[in-house]
Amino acid sequence: MAKIRGKLFLALTLMLVLIVFGGCAVQRKPLPPEPDAPDRVPEMEVKPAPDRSPAEDRDIAADINRIAESVPGVARSYSVVIGNAVLIGLDIDKDQQEQGISKIKNRVAEKAEADSRIVRAYVSSDPDTTARIRELADNIRNGRPVTEYLDEIGEIIQRLTPQTD
């Protein structure tokens, strides 16, 4: 009887060890992507426009500024064209701010993307971002190549989410 009891004890101990160490293994499944993760980089649809000169891009930026400034609530607009995308910084009229800055930004993005030369518009009314875009636009308008500022432009685009889909 003692032999059977010993074998039974050994078998139960072995099963317990297998259950404890085998049943508690960590499953390695990839985590699903979080749709609104704050550090998620927006999908960039920026494609080069090899058939356009820097002067043509500056003309497009000027056209986008006129379009943006035609939206009620926009005091001033600054634009930088990169391929088929545009960065737009807005100065919003103080008396229009309570009526909805996001509505103004969405309207500007819609109007900019209605231009056949633009696929994606990134719009900001944040004063710091607008100042950065204004400085970039001034430098590019004064003849500096946009390629000198690609890192800074990429950083701005990462901070902004596309205004329309």
PDB file of all heavy atoms in Angstrom, residues 83-124:
ATOM      1  N   GLY A  83       5.076  68.920 -51.657  1.00  0.00           N
ATOM      2  CA  GLY A  83       4.496  67.919 -52.547  1.00  0.00           C
ATOM      3  C   GLY A  83       3.019  68.201 -52.763  1.00  0.00           C
ATOM      4  O   GLY A  83       2.629  69.254 -53.244  1.00  0.00           O
ATOM      5  N   ASN A  84       2.181  67.228 -52.345  1.00  0.00           N
ATOM      6  CA  ASN A  84       0.741  67.399 -52.519  1.00  0.00           C
ATOM      7  C   ASN A  84       0.043  67.716 -51.194  1.00  0.00           C
ATOM      8  O   ASN A  84      -1.163  67.590 -51.077  1.00  0.00           O
ATOM      9  CB  ASN A  84       0.131  66.145 -53.151  1.00  0.00           C
ATOM     10  CG  ASN A  84       0.290  64.929 -52.270  1.00  0.00           C
ATOM     11  OD1 ASN A  84       0.911  64.970 -51.226  1.00  0.00           O
ATOM     12  ND2 ASN A  84      -0.267  63.823 -52.707  1.00  0.00           N
ATOM     13  N   ALA A  85       0.814  68.133 -50.200  1.00  0.00           N
ATOM     14  CA  ALA A  85       0.261  68.485 -48.891  1.00  0.00           C
ATOM     15  C   ALA A  85       0.580  69.943 -48.582  1.00  0.00           C
ATOM     16  O   ALA A  85       1.450  70.550 -49.212  1.00  0.00           O
ATOM     17  CB  ALA A  85       0.843  67.585 -47.800  1.00  0.00           C
ATOM     18  N   VAL A  86      -0.142  70.485 -47.602  1.00  0.00           N
ATOM     19  CA  VAL A  86       0.091  71.868 -47.208  1.00  0.00           C
ATOM     20  C   VAL A  86      -0.041  71.989 -45.694  1.00  0.00           C
ATOM     21  O   VAL A  86      -0.910  71.378 -45.084  1.00  0.00           O
ATOM     22  CB  VAL A  86      -0.880  72.835 -47.937  1.00  0.00           C
ATOM     23  CG1 VAL A  86      -2.324  72.578 -47.565  1.00  0.00           C
ATOM     24  CG2 VAL A  86      -0.519  74.284 -47.674  1.00  0.00           C
ATOM     25  N   LEU A  87       0.877  72.740 -45.106  1.00  0.00           N
ATOM     26  CA  LEU A  87       0.794  73.133 -43.701  1.00  0.00           C
ATOM     27  C   LEU A  87       0.189  74.520 -43.678  1.00  0.00           C
ATOM     28  O   LEU A  87       0.652  75.410 -44.396  1.00  0.00           O
ATOM     29  CB  LEU A  87       2.190  73.232 -43.089  1.00  0.00           C
ATOM     30  CG  LEU A  87       2.920  71.976 -42.705  1.00  0.00           C
ATOM     31  CD1 LEU A  87       4.307  72.339 -42.196  1.00  0.00           C
ATOM     32  CD2 LEU A  87       2.175  71.211 -41.667  1.00  0.00           C
ATOM     33  N   ILE A  88      -0.813  74.708 -42.840  1.00  0.00           N
ATOM     34  CA  ILE A  88      -1.468  76.013 -42.763  1.00  0.00           C
ATOM     35  C   ILE A  88      -1.508  76.451 -41.310  1.00  0.00           C
ATOM     36  O   ILE A  88      -2.025  75.724 -40.456  1.00  0.00           O
ATOM     37  CB  ILE A  88      -2.905  75.963 -43.328  1.00  0.00           C
ATOM     38  CG1 ILE A  88      -2.907  75.425 -44.761  1.00  0.00           C
ATOM     39  CG2 ILE A  88      -3.552  77.349 -43.261  1.00  0.00           C
ATOM     40  CD1 ILE A  88      -4.296  75.125 -45.303  1.00  0.00           C
ATOM     41  N   GLY A  89      -0.952  77.619 -41.047  1.00  0.00           N
ATOM     42  CA  GLY A  89      -1.046  78.231 -39.726  1.00  0.00           C
ATOM     43  C   GLY A  89      -2.024  79.381 -39.788  1.00  0.00           C
ATOM     44  O   GLY A  89      -1.985  80.187 -40.732  1.00  0.00           O
ATOM     45  N   LEU A  90      -2.919  79.459 -38.810  1.00  0.00           N
ATOM     46  CA  LEU A  90      -3.971  80.477 -38.834  1.00  0.00           C
ATOM     47  C   LEU A  90      -3.886  81.408 -37.634  1.00  0.00           C
ATOM     48  O   LEU A  90      -3.678  80.956 -36.507  1.00  0.00           O
ATOM     49  CB  LEU A  90      -5.352  79.813 -38.809  1.00  0.00           C
ATOM     50  CG  LEU A  90      -5.705  78.846 -39.921  1.00  0.00           C
ATOM     51  CD1 LEU A  90      -7.066  78.229 -39.647  1.00  0.00           C
ATOM     52  CD2 LEU A  90      -5.685  79.550 -41.258  1.00  0.00           C
ATOM     53  N   ASP A  91      -4.066  82.698 -37.912  1.00  0.00           N
ATOM     54  CA  ASP A  91      -4.363  83.671 -36.862  1.00  0.00           C
ATOM     55  C   ASP A  91      -5.871  83.856 -36.911  1.00  0.00           C
ATOM     56  O   ASP A  91      -6.416  84.259 -37.943  1.00  0.00           O
ATOM     57  CB  ASP A  91      -3.659  85.005 -37.123  1.00  0.00           C
ATOM     58  CG  ASP A  91      -2.148  84.929 -36.907  1.00  0.00           C
ATOM     59  OD1 ASP A  91      -1.711  84.064 -36.127  1.00  0.00           O
ATOM     60  OD2 ASP A  91      -1.428  85.734 -37.510  1.00  0.00           O
ATOM     61  N   ILE A  92      -6.548  83.542 -35.809  1.00  0.00           N
ATOM     62  CA  ILE A  92      -8.005  83.608 -35.741  1.00  0.00           C
ATOM     63  C   ILE A  92      -8.419  84.960 -35.174  1.00  0.00           C
ATOM     64  O   ILE A  92      -7.819  85.454 -34.223  1.00  0.00           O
ATOM     65  CB  ILE A  92      -8.564  82.473 -34.853  1.00  0.00           C
ATOM     66  CG1 ILE A  92      -8.073  81.102 -35.327  1.00  0.00           C
ATOM     67  CG2 ILE A  92     -10.080  82.520 -34.777  1.00  0.00           C
ATOM     68  CD1 ILE A  92      -8.613  80.654 -36.654  1.00  0.00           C
ATOM     69  N   ASP A  93      -9.463  85.560 -35.773  1.00  0.00           N
ATOM     70  CA  ASP A  93     -10.028  86.803 -35.238  1.00  0.00           C
ATOM     71  C   ASP A  93     -10.461  86.566 -33.793  1.00  0.00           C
ATOM     72  O   ASP A  93     -11.119  85.569 -33.495  1.00  0.00           O
ATOM     73  CB  ASP A  93     -11.254  87.247 -36.045  1.00  0.00           C
ATOM     74  CG  ASP A  93     -10.894  87.800 -37.403  1.00  0.00           C
ATOM     75  OD1 ASP A  93      -9.785  88.342 -37.551  1.00  0.00           O
ATOM     76  OD2 ASP A  93     -11.736  87.687 -38.316  1.00  0.00           O
ATOM     77  N   LYS A  94     -10.110  87.484 -32.912  1.00  0.00           N
ATOM     78  CA  LYS A  94     -10.462  87.331 -31.499  1.00  0.00           C
ATOM     79  C   LYS A  94     -11.966  87.260 -31.281  1.00  0.00           C
ATOM     80  O   LYS A  94     -12.437  86.515 -30.446  1.00  0.00           O
ATOM     81  CB  LYS A  94      -9.853  88.463 -30.687  1.00  0.00           C
ATOM     82  CG  LYS A  94      -8.343  88.401 -30.639  1.00  0.00           C
ATOM     83  CD  LYS A  94      -7.795  89.372 -29.623  1.00  0.00           C
ATOM     84  CE  LYS A  94      -6.294  89.470 -29.671  1.00  0.00           C
ATOM     85  NZ  LYS A  94      -5.567  88.264 -29.500  1.00  0.00           N
ATOM     86  N   ASP A  95     -12.727  88.020 -32.046  1.00  0.00           N
ATOM     87  CA  ASP A  95     -14.178  88.006 -31.863  1.00  0.00           C
ATOM     88  C   ASP A  95     -14.822  86.734 -32.425  1.00  0.00           C
ATOM     89  O   ASP A  95     -15.968  86.436 -32.128  1.00  0.00           O
ATOM     90  CB  ASP A  95     -14.825  89.244 -32.480  1.00  0.00           C
ATOM     91  CG  ASP A  95     -14.540  89.379 -33.966  1.00  0.00           C
ATOM     92  OD1 ASP A  95     -13.527  88.837 -34.434  1.00  0.00           O
ATOM     93  OD2 ASP A  95     -15.341  90.038 -34.648  1.00  0.00           O
ATOM     94  N   GLN A  96     -14.098  85.948 -33.222  1.00  0.00           N
ATOM     95  CA  GLN A  96     -14.631  84.711 -33.802  1.00  0.00           C
ATOM     96  C   GLN A  96     -14.221  83.465 -33.025  1.00  0.00           C
ATOM     97  O   GLN A  96     -14.721  82.384 -33.295  1.00  0.00           O
ATOM     98  CB  GLN A  96     -14.147  84.566 -35.250  1.00  0.00           C
ATOM     99  CG  GLN A  96     -14.656  85.616 -36.188  1.00  0.00           C
ATOM    100  CD  GLN A  96     -16.113  85.422 -36.516  1.00  0.00           C
ATOM    101  OE1 GLN A  96     -16.596  84.311 -36.604  1.00  0.00           O
ATOM    102  NE2 GLN A  96     -16.832  86.524 -36.681  1.00  0.00           N
ATOM    103  N   GLN A  97     -13.314  83.617 -32.064  1.00  0.00           N
ATOM    104  CA  GLN A  97     -12.773  82.447 -31.383  1.00  0.00           C
ATOM    105  C   GLN A  97     -13.842  81.659 -30.636  1.00  0.00           C
ATOM    106  O   GLN A  97     -13.781  80.441 -30.567  1.00  0.00           O
ATOM    107  CB  GLN A  97     -11.651  82.847 -30.431  1.00  0.00           C
ATOM    108  CG  GLN A  97     -10.394  83.233 -31.175  1.00  0.00           C
ATOM    109  CD  GLN A  97      -9.254  83.563 -30.254  1.00  0.00           C
ATOM    110  OE1 GLN A  97      -9.408  83.565 -29.042  1.00  0.00           O
ATOM    111  NE2 GLN A  97      -8.100  83.846 -30.826  1.00  0.00           N
ATOM    112  N   GLU A  98     -14.822  82.338 -30.077  1.00  0.00           N
ATOM    113  CA  GLU A  98     -15.848  81.631 -29.324  1.00  0.00           C
ATOM    114  C   GLU A  98     -16.814  80.877 -30.227  1.00  0.00           C
ATOM    115  O   GLU A  98     -17.566  80.032 -29.771  1.00  0.00           O
ATOM    116  CB  GLU A  98     -16.608  82.607 -28.418  1.00  0.00           C
ATOM    117  CG  GLU A  98     -15.778  83.038 -27.228  1.00  0.00           C
ATOM    118  CD  GLU A  98     -15.919  84.521 -26.946  1.00  0.00           C
ATOM    119  OE1 GLU A  98     -16.911  85.112 -27.353  1.00  0.00           O
ATOM    120  OE2 GLU A  98     -15.000  85.065 -26.311  1.00  0.00           O
ATOM    121  N   GLN A  99     -16.845  81.183 -31.491  1.00  0.00           N
ATOM    122  CA  GLN A  99     -17.776  80.538 -32.407  1.00  0.00           C
ATOM    123  C   GLN A  99     -17.284  79.175 -32.877  1.00  0.00           C
ATOM    124  O   GLN A  99     -17.969  78.508 -33.623  1.00  0.00           O
ATOM    125  CB  GLN A  99     -18.045  81.461 -33.597  1.00  0.00           C
ATOM    126  CG  GLN A  99     -18.605  82.778 -33.149  1.00  0.00           C
ATOM    127  CD  GLN A  99     -19.484  83.393 -34.200  1.00  0.00           C
ATOM    128  OE1 GLN A  99     -19.707  82.834 -35.250  1.00  0.00           O
ATOM    129  NE2 GLN A  99     -20.001  84.567 -33.896  1.00  0.00           N
ATOM    130  N   GLY A 100     -16.098  78.796 -32.470  1.00  0.00           N
ATOM    131  CA  GLY A 100     -15.617  77.456 -32.802  1.00  0.00           C
ATOM    132  C   GLY A 100     -14.388  77.445 -33.668  1.00  0.00           C
ATOM    133  O   GLY A 100     -14.492  77.496 -34.890  1.00  0.00           O
ATOM    134  N   ILE A 101     -13.242  77.370 -33.026  1.00  0.00           N
ATOM    135  CA  ILE A 101     -11.974  77.330 -33.764  1.00  0.00           C
ATOM    136  C   ILE A 101     -11.899  76.063 -34.604  1.00  0.00           C
ATOM    137  O   ILE A 101     -11.446  76.096 -35.750  1.00  0.00           O
ATOM    138  CB  ILE A 101     -10.785  77.436 -32.794  1.00  0.00           C
ATOM    139  CG1 ILE A 101     -10.755  78.834 -32.169  1.00  0.00           C
ATOM    140  CG2 ILE A 101      -9.475  77.140 -33.488  1.00  0.00           C
ATOM    141  CD1 ILE A 101      -9.723  79.030 -31.092  1.00  0.00           C
ATOM    142  N   SER A 102     -12.373  74.940 -34.052  1.00  0.00           N
ATOM    143  CA  SER A 102     -12.288  73.693 -34.821  1.00  0.00           C
ATOM    144  C   SER A 102     -13.132  73.762 -36.096  1.00  0.00           C
ATOM    145  O   SER A 102     -12.741  73.212 -37.127  1.00  0.00           O
ATOM    146  CB  SER A 102     -12.683  72.491 -33.970  1.00  0.00           C
ATOM    147  OG  SER A 102     -14.024  72.586 -33.572  1.00  0.00           O
ATOM    148  N   LYS A 103     -14.264  74.446 -36.043  1.00  0.00           N
ATOM    149  CA  LYS A 103     -15.079  74.609 -37.253  1.00  0.00           C
ATOM    150  C   LYS A 103     -14.336  75.438 -38.297  1.00  0.00           C
ATOM    151  O   LYS A 103     -14.376  75.136 -39.490  1.00  0.00           O
ATOM    152  CB  LYS A 103     -16.412  75.270 -36.920  1.00  0.00           C
ATOM    153  CG  LYS A 103     -17.378  74.372 -36.202  1.00  0.00           C
ATOM    154  CD  LYS A 103     -18.692  75.078 -35.953  1.00  0.00           C
ATOM    155  CE  LYS A 103     -19.649  74.181 -35.187  1.00  0.00           C
ATOM    156  NZ  LYS A 103     -20.919  74.833 -34.898  1.00  0.00           N
ATOM    157  N   ILE A 104     -13.667  76.483 -37.838  1.00  0.00           N
ATOM    158  CA  ILE A 104     -12.899  77.332 -38.758  1.00  0.00           C
ATOM    159  C   ILE A 104     -11.768  76.509 -39.383  1.00  0.00           C
ATOM    160  O   ILE A 104     -11.564  76.539 -40.606  1.00  0.00           O
ATOM    161  CB  ILE A 104     -12.355  78.578 -38.029  1.00  0.00           C
ATOM    162  CG1 ILE A 104     -13.517  79.479 -37.587  1.00  0.00           C
ATOM    163  CG2 ILE A 104     -11.361  79.338 -38.906  1.00  0.00           C
ATOM    164  CD1 ILE A 104     -13.116  80.611 -36.659  1.00  0.00           C
ATOM    165  N   LYS A 105     -11.038  75.756 -38.558  1.00  0.00           N
ATOM    166  CA  LYS A 105      -9.934  74.939 -39.068  1.00  0.00           C
ATOM    167  C   LYS A 105     -10.435  73.888 -40.053  1.00  0.00           C
ATOM    168  O   LYS A 105      -9.816  73.675 -41.097  1.00  0.00           O
ATOM    169  CB  LYS A 105      -9.184  74.278 -37.902  1.00  0.00           C
ATOM    170  CG  LYS A 105      -8.378  75.255 -37.093  1.00  0.00           C
ATOM    171  CD  LYS A 105      -7.752  74.719 -35.834  1.00  0.00           C
ATOM    172  CE  LYS A 105      -7.518  73.286 -35.708  1.00  0.00           C
ATOM    173  NZ  LYS A 105      -6.900  72.873 -34.442  1.00  0.00           N
ATOM    174  N   ASN A 106     -11.550  73.246 -39.730  1.00  0.00           N
ATOM    175  CA  ASN A 106     -12.109  72.237 -40.640  1.00  0.00           C
ATOM    176  C   ASN A 106     -12.520  72.861 -41.972  1.00  0.00           C
ATOM    177  O   ASN A 106     -12.300  72.280 -43.037  1.00  0.00           O
ATOM    178  CB  ASN A 106     -13.302  71.530 -40.003  1.00  0.00           C
ATOM    179  CG  ASN A 106     -12.891  70.561 -38.926  1.00  0.00           C
ATOM    180  OD1 ASN A 106     -11.770  70.063 -38.915  1.00  0.00           O
ATOM    181  ND2 ASN A 106     -13.797  70.294 -38.004  1.00  0.00           N
ATOM    182  N   ARG A 107     -13.108  74.052 -41.917  1.00  0.00           N
ATOM    183  CA  ARG A 107     -13.534  74.742 -43.144  1.00  0.00           C
ATOM    184  C   ARG A 107     -12.321  75.105 -44.008  1.00  0.00           C
ATOM    185  O   ARG A 107     -12.353  74.941 -45.231  1.00  0.00           O
ATOM    186  CB  ARG A 107     -14.347  75.991 -42.779  1.00  0.00           C
ATOM    187  CG  ARG A 107     -14.958  76.675 -43.952  1.00  0.00           C
ATOM    188  CD  ARG A 107     -16.056  75.809 -44.576  1.00  0.00           C
ATOM    189  NE  ARG A 107     -16.574  76.500 -45.732  1.00  0.00           N
ATOM    190  CZ  ARG A 107     -16.750  75.943 -46.915  1.00  0.00           C
ATOM    191  NH1 ARG A 107     -16.499  74.671 -47.081  1.00  0.00           N
ATOM    192  NH2 ARG A 107     -17.199  76.639 -47.910  1.00  0.00           N
ATOM    193  N   VAL A 108     -11.253  75.579 -43.358  1.00  0.00           N
ATOM    194  CA  VAL A 108     -10.022  75.909 -44.090  1.00  0.00           C
ATOM    195  C   VAL A 108      -9.448  74.648 -44.733  1.00  0.00           C
ATOM    196  O   VAL A 108      -9.055  74.660 -45.914  1.00  0.00           O
ATOM    197  CB  VAL A 108      -8.995  76.588 -43.157  1.00  0.00           C
ATOM    198  CG1 VAL A 108      -7.631  76.674 -43.814  1.00  0.00           C
ATOM    199  CG2 VAL A 108      -9.479  77.975 -42.749  1.00  0.00           C
ATOM    200  N   ALA A 109      -9.406  73.548 -43.982  1.00  0.00           N
ATOM    201  CA  ALA A 109      -8.872  72.292 -44.531  1.00  0.00           C
ATOM    202  C   ALA A 109      -9.701  71.821 -45.716  1.00  0.00           C
ATOM    203  O   ALA A 109      -9.150  71.401 -46.744  1.00  0.00           O
ATOM    204  CB  ALA A 109      -8.835  71.224 -43.442  1.00  0.00           C
ATOM    205  N   GLU A 110     -11.025  71.890 -45.600  1.00  0.00           N
ATOM    206  CA  GLU A 110     -11.903  71.484 -46.705  1.00  0.00           C
ATOM    207  C   GLU A 110     -11.645  72.317 -47.950  1.00  0.00           C
ATOM    208  O   GLU A 110     -11.557  71.782 -49.061  1.00  0.00           O
ATOM    209  CB  GLU A 110     -13.369  71.634 -46.302  1.00  0.00           C
ATOM    210  CG  GLU A 110     -13.856  70.601 -45.311  1.00  0.00           C
ATOM    211  CD  GLU A 110     -15.248  70.908 -44.781  1.00  0.00           C
ATOM    212  OE1 GLU A 110     -15.899  71.865 -45.279  1.00  0.00           O
ATOM    213  OE2 GLU A 110     -15.693  70.207 -43.864  1.00  0.00           O
ATOM    214  N   LYS A 111     -11.551  73.623 -47.771  1.00  0.00           N
ATOM    215  CA  LYS A 111     -11.328  74.503 -48.923  1.00  0.00           C
ATOM    216  C   LYS A 111      -9.953  74.264 -49.543  1.00  0.00           C
ATOM    217  O   LYS A 111      -9.810  74.282 -50.766  1.00  0.00           O
ATOM    218  CB  LYS A 111     -11.479  75.971 -48.519  1.00  0.00           C
ATOM    219  CG  LYS A 111     -12.915  76.391 -48.345  1.00  0.00           C
ATOM    220  CD  LYS A 111     -13.002  77.889 -48.155  1.00  0.00           C
ATOM    221  CE  LYS A 111     -14.391  78.371 -48.476  1.00  0.00           C
ATOM    222  NZ  LYS A 111     -14.423  79.699 -49.024  1.00  0.00           N
ATOM    223  N   ALA A 112      -8.935  74.041 -48.701  1.00  0.00           N
ATOM    224  CA  ALA A 112      -7.585  73.788 -49.226  1.00  0.00           C
ATOM    225  C   ALA A 112      -7.547  72.471 -49.995  1.00  0.00           C
ATOM    226  O   ALA A 112      -6.950  72.382 -51.067  1.00  0.00           O
ATOM    227  CB  ALA A 112      -6.567  73.774 -48.089  1.00  0.00           C
ATOM    228  N   GLU A 113      -8.195  71.438 -49.451  1.00  0.00           N
ATOM    229  CA  GLU A 113      -8.192  70.137 -50.110  1.00  0.00           C
ATOM    230  C   GLU A 113      -9.084  70.111 -51.355  1.00  0.00           C
ATOM    231  O   GLU A 113      -8.991  69.187 -52.160  1.00  0.00           O
ATOM    232  CB  GLU A 113      -8.593  69.048 -49.112  1.00  0.00           C
ATOM    233  CG  GLU A 113      -7.515  68.820 -48.065  1.00  0.00           C
ATOM    234  CD  GLU A 113      -7.918  67.875 -46.946  1.00  0.00           C
ATOM    235  OE1 GLU A 113      -9.091  67.428 -46.919  1.00  0.00           O
ATOM    236  OE2 GLU A 113      -7.067  67.601 -46.090  1.00  0.00           O
ATOM    237  N   ALA A 114      -9.925  71.109 -51.511  1.00  0.00           N
ATOM    238  CA  ALA A 114     -10.723  71.217 -52.736  1.00  0.00           C
ATOM    239  C   ALA A 114      -9.850  71.638 -53.917  1.00  0.00           C
ATOM    240  O   ALA A 114     -10.217  71.419 -55.072  1.00  0.00           O
ATOM    241  CB  ALA A 114     -11.868  72.215 -52.534  1.00  0.00           C
ATOM    242  N   ASP A 115      -8.699  72.237 -53.641  1.00  0.00           N
ATOM    243  CA  ASP A 115      -7.741  72.591 -54.686  1.00  0.00           C
ATOM    244  C   ASP A 115      -7.161  71.288 -55.236  1.00  0.00           C
ATOM    245  O   ASP A 115      -6.692  70.439 -54.476  1.00  0.00           O
ATOM    246  CB  ASP A 115      -6.626  73.467 -54.087  1.00  0.00           C
ATOM    247  CG  ASP A 115      -5.683  74.009 -55.130  1.00  0.00           C
ATOM    248  OD1 ASP A 115      -5.171  73.214 -55.955  1.00  0.00           O
ATOM    249  OD2 ASP A 115      -5.436  75.225 -55.131  1.00  0.00           O
ATOM    250  N   SER A 116      -7.186  71.112 -56.534  1.00  0.00           N
ATOM    251  CA  SER A 116      -6.756  69.852 -57.152  1.00  0.00           C
ATOM    252  C   SER A 116      -5.274  69.547 -56.926  1.00  0.00           C
ATOM    253  O   SER A 116      -4.859  68.404 -57.072  1.00  0.00           O
ATOM    254  CB  SER A 116      -7.050  69.886 -58.651  1.00  0.00           C
ATOM    255  OG  SER A 116      -6.308  70.928 -59.269  1.00  0.00           O
ATOM    256  N   ARG A 117      -4.494  70.546 -56.553  1.00  0.00           N
ATOM    257  CA  ARG A 117      -3.060  70.329 -56.343  1.00  0.00           C
ATOM    258  C   ARG A 117      -2.742  69.847 -54.927  1.00  0.00           C
ATOM    259  O   ARG A 117      -1.621  69.475 -54.637  1.00  0.00           O
ATOM    260  CB  ARG A 117      -2.300  71.626 -56.617  1.00  0.00           C
ATOM    261  CG  ARG A 117      -2.543  72.160 -58.024  1.00  0.00           C
ATOM    262  CD  ARG A 117      -2.089  73.584 -58.182  1.00  0.00           C
ATOM    263  NE  ARG A 117      -2.922  74.484 -57.378  1.00  0.00           N
ATOM    264  CZ  ARG A 117      -2.835  75.808 -57.408  1.00  0.00           C
ATOM    265  NH1 ARG A 117      -1.946  76.385 -58.193  1.00  0.00           N
ATOM    266  NH2 ARG A 117      -3.613  76.559 -56.655  1.00  0.00           N
ATOM    267  N   ILE A 118      -3.744  69.835 -54.044  1.00  0.00           N
ATOM    268  CA  ILE A 118      -3.556  69.492 -52.638  1.00  0.00           C
ATOM    269  C   ILE A 118      -4.378  68.255 -52.299  1.00  0.00           C
ATOM    270  O   ILE A 118      -5.565  68.179 -52.608  1.00  0.00           O
ATOM    271  CB  ILE A 118      -3.975  70.663 -51.721  1.00  0.00           C
ATOM    272  CG1 ILE A 118      -3.153  71.912 -52.031  1.00  0.00           C
ATOM    273  CG2 ILE A 118      -3.871  70.289 -50.254  1.00  0.00           C
ATOM    274  CD1 ILE A 118      -1.657  71.765 -51.821  1.00  0.00           C
ATOM    275  N   VAL A 119      -3.738  67.289 -51.646  1.00  0.00           N
ATOM    276  CA  VAL A 119      -4.425  66.079 -51.200  1.00  0.00           C
ATOM    277  C   VAL A 119      -4.726  66.167 -49.706  1.00  0.00           C
ATOM    278  O   VAL A 119      -5.786  65.767 -49.257  1.00  0.00           O
ATOM    279  CB  VAL A 119      -3.567  64.822 -51.483  1.00  0.00           C
ATOM    280  CG1 VAL A 119      -4.156  63.589 -50.830  1.00  0.00           C
ATOM    281  CG2 VAL A 119      -3.425  64.611 -52.980  1.00  0.00           C
ATOM    282  N   ARG A 120      -3.802  66.706 -48.924  1.00  0.00           N
ATOM    283  CA  ARG A 120      -3.961  66.743 -47.476  1.00  0.00           C
ATOM    284  C   ARG A 120      -3.549  68.113 -46.937  1.00  0.00           C
ATOM    285  O   ARG A 120      -2.507  68.632 -47.310  1.00  0.00           O
ATOM    286  CB  ARG A 120      -3.111  65.657 -46.838  1.00  0.00           C
ATOM    287  CG  ARG A 120      -3.145  65.574 -45.355  1.00  0.00           C
ATOM    288  CD  ARG A 120      -4.445  65.076 -44.793  1.00  0.00           C
ATOM    289  NE  ARG A 120      -4.644  63.708 -45.199  1.00  0.00           N
ATOM    290  CZ  ARG A 120      -5.786  63.069 -45.060  1.00  0.00           C
ATOM    291  NH1 ARG A 120      -6.825  63.666 -44.541  1.00  0.00           N
ATOM    292  NH2 ARG A 120      -5.914  61.830 -45.455  1.00  0.00           N
ATOM    293  N   ALA A 121      -4.410  68.659 -46.092  1.00  0.00           N
ATOM    294  CA  ALA A 121      -4.126  69.945 -45.446  1.00  0.00           C
ATOM    295  C   ALA A 121      -3.990  69.717 -43.945  1.00  0.00           C
ATOM    296  O   ALA A 121      -4.846  69.076 -43.335  1.00  0.00           O
ATOM    297  CB  ALA A 121      -5.247  70.941 -45.723  1.00  0.00           C
ATOM    298  N   TYR A 122      -2.911  70.200 -43.376  1.00  0.00           N
ATOM    299  CA  TYR A 122      -2.672  70.142 -41.941  1.00  0.00           C
ATOM    300  C   TYR A 122      -2.818  71.567 -41.423  1.00  0.00           C
ATOM    301  O   TYR A 122      -2.049  72.448 -41.806  1.00  0.00           O
ATOM    302  CB  TYR A 122      -1.273  69.603 -41.654  1.00  0.00           C
ATOM    303  CG  TYR A 122      -1.076  68.193 -42.173  1.00  0.00           C
ATOM    304  CD1 TYR A 122      -0.561  67.962 -43.441  1.00  0.00           C
ATOM    305  CD2 TYR A 122      -1.427  67.102 -41.391  1.00  0.00           C
ATOM    306  CE1 TYR A 122      -0.388  66.671 -43.909  1.00  0.00           C
ATOM    307  CE2 TYR A 122      -1.255  65.812 -41.853  1.00  0.00           C
ATOM    308  CZ  TYR A 122      -0.737  65.600 -43.118  1.00  0.00           C
ATOM    309  OH  TYR A 122      -0.578  64.321 -43.586  1.00  0.00           O
ATOM    310  N   VAL A 123      -3.812  71.792 -40.569  1.00  0.00           N
ATOM    311  CA  VAL A 123      -4.166  73.146 -40.154  1.00  0.00           C
ATOM    312  C   VAL A 123      -3.955  73.294 -38.650  1.00  0.00           C
ATOM    313  O   VAL A 123      -4.352  72.428 -37.872  1.00  0.00           O
ATOM    314  CB  VAL A 123      -5.636  73.467 -40.503  1.00  0.00           C
ATOM    315  CG1 VAL A 123      -5.983  74.891 -40.126  1.00  0.00           C
ATOM    316  CG2 VAL A 123      -5.890  73.232 -41.988  1.00  0.00           C
ATOM    317  N   SER A 124      -3.361  74.419 -38.249  1.00  0.00           N
ATOM    318  CA  SER A 124      -3.177  74.719 -36.833  1.00  0.00           C
ATOM    319  C   SER A 124      -3.538  76.171 -36.570  1.00  0.00           C
ATOM    320  O   SER A 124      -3.265  77.050 -37.382  1.00  0.00           O
ATOM    321  CB  SER A 124      -1.726  74.488 -36.423  1.00  0.00           C
ATOM    322  OG  SER A 124      -1.539  74.860 -35.071  1.00  0.00           O
TER     323      SER A 124
END
